[in-house]
Amino acid sequence: MEGKKGAAASSQGFPRRYRLGANRNYRYVYRKGKSYPSRNLVLVYLKGKELRIGFSVSSKVGNAVARNRIRRILREDVRRMRDRLKCGKYILVARTSIVNVPHMEITQEVRSLLARAKLLKEEC
């Protein structure tokens, strides 16, 4: 029973191979990458050979429950669009105004931000 649960969770989850990982990777992308701002999010992108994605939600954004909710929403939105993203390193940074924004608006903003940055529809 446990094997089935683990297999289903991994196919729907956000695999480790797509995560940005260590703090040094975040610092590198912040330093070398290009940023694309929007009302509630900032996208930092750096060209690369493989797809890596990170999420940053500051403690200024709200309490732990709110920050984790936002992180889960962003992770789910990117997971669904993962196949349509160009290769490279991405960081999605949440601004403080995102706390009271509904999920659908966040999803729409992520899509429009990626489209404006011309980071959709290319094979790795």
Side-chain angles (χ1 to χ4, degrees), residues 11-108:
S11 65
Q12 293 296 315
F14 196 76
R16 209 177 266 291
R17 69 176 180 259
Y18 293 117
R19 296 181 193 168
L20 198 51
N23 186 5
R24 66 173 186 244
N25 296 335
Y26 279 84
R27 288 195 318 255
Y28 183 75
V29 175
Y30 280 128
R31 197 169 356 108
K32 301 277 187 175
K34 183 163 173 34
S35 76
Y36 301 90
S38 71
R39 180 173 296 212
N40 299 306
L41 293 168
V42 177
L43 171 67
V44 183
Y45 172 73
L46 181 64
K47 277 187 176 181
K49 294 181 182 179
E50 53 191 20
L51 181 63
R52 299 286 183 174
I53 306 162
F55 305 95
S56 177
V57 185
S58 168
S59 59
K60 295 177 185 177
V61 171
N63 63 12
V65 175
R67 291 193 302 273
N68 287 328
R69 175 187 159 269
I70 292 162
R71 210 173 290 116
R72 280 193 309 271
I73 289 170
L74 292 173
R75 196 179 307 126
E76 175 63 14
D77 292 343
V78 171
R79 183 190 66 82
R80 288 182 178 179
M81 296 190 305
R82 190 172 59 211
D83 298 335
R84 297 178 11 211
L85 293 175
K86 282 185 179 181
C87 291
K89 296 179 181 181
Y90 297 76
I91 300 176
L92 280 166
V93 183
R95 292 185 170 182
T96 56
S97 59
I98 201 168
V99 174
N100 299 319
V101 179
H103 185 172
M104 290 306 295
E105 286 184 35
I106 295 173
T107 302
Q108 192 67 27

